[in-house]
Amino acid sequence: VRLLRGEALFAVTKDAARPFVVTAGAVEVRAVGTVFTVRHESKHVNVLVMEGRVAIERVEAAASTGAAFRVKAEPVYLEVGRQVVVPADPVEAVPLEIKTVSADELAAALTWRDKRIEFNETRFPEAVTLFNRQNRVQLSLADQALAGRMITGIFWADDPEGFVRLIETGFNIKSERSGNV
């Protein structure tokens, strides 16, 4: 599977003879009998494992053919409850940092599949990012002083306007609408 952008959840039946591979930019995720998500954004690829194990390798595309070829590096293995963020730029050779994800963080990471989003002491920038992933109406924080503020609650993922109204009244914050969306 080639994931061009966005996020997808994969549940793969174990078949050692036919491994399942997701390519997202310069990242290749190989699974055999597992459940995991891949989120491909402009600057990075995020991989989170819910069941089983996946191998992550950096790949580069040949300029002339677009075919992928492997960079000579050992794969990074992710187990259940682990997450890694890989820079999308194949030239960037930074060491990968594997993070352990709690059960609550794992559940929160999967809320995009539902119609609701649950925040538990979530910083405003992260809340805005979650809403933006699911909506044409894109939110932004103009005042960076808000970046440290947190919110707790359950919201409808397809109602960013309702979220903004709550922020305005509950936090005494002013919002401005721009564009035609």
Side-chain angles (χ1 to χ4, degrees):
V1 173
R2 180 174 291 162
L3 182 64
L4 300 176
R5 63 183 160 87
E7 185 168 12
L9 172 71
F10 301 97
V12 182
T13 302
K14 189 172 188 167
D15 184 348
R18 296 183 334 173
F20 183 82
V21 178
V22 177
T23 303
V27 179
E28 186 176 275
V29 182
R30 183 176 305 273
V32 177
T34 188
V35 177
F36 63 101
T37 63
V38 177
R39 185 172 68 237
H40 186 193
E41 296 180 349
S42 62
K43 296 190 186 264
H44 65 270
V45 174
N46 184 317
V47 180
L48 176 62
V49 180
M50 279 62 94
E51 291 179 22
R53 181 180 187 211
V54 300
I56 299 168
E57 296 181 80
R58 302 281 301 195
V59 296
E60 290 185 27
S64 59
T65 65
F69 62 89
R70 228 172 270 351
V71 174
K72 294 185 182 198
E74 291 296 314
V76 172
Y77 293 95
L78 279 188
E79 307 285 334
V80 175
R82 299 285 171 94
Q83 176 181 39
V84 68
V85 177
V86 183
D89 184 355
V91 176
E92 236 181 282
V94 297
L96 299 182
E97 192 174 317
I98 297 173
K99 175 185 172 192
T100 300
V101 178
S102 71
D104 289 342
E105 290 171 317
L106 190 61
L110 294 175
T111 58
W112 61 268
R113 300 176 312 145
D114 299 328
K115 288 282 187 185
R116 65 185 187 98
I117 299 175
E118 185 173 338
F119 300 127
N120 184 15
E121 292 189 22
T122 303
R123 295 194 186 284
F124 275 18
E126 184 180 341
V128 165
T129 298
L130 286 172
F131 269 101
N132 287 347
R133 268 197 239 147
Q134 299 183 49
N135 293 285
R136 285 185 51 219
V137 173
Q138 296 292 288
L139 308 175
S140 65
L141 293 176
D143 184 353
Q144 290 308 310
L146 299 175
R149 306 266 318 254
M150 291 191 236
I151 188 164
T152 297
I154 299 172
F155 304 91
W156 292 110
D158 59 355
D159 186 18
E161 290 91 351
F163 175 71
V164 170
R165 282 193 305 276
L166 176 99
I167 297 300
E168 288 177 317
T169 58
F171 290 88
N172 196 25
I173 294 171
K174 184 180 177 202
S175 72
E176 293 180 10
R177 189 176 190 82
S178 65
N180 17 349
V181 179

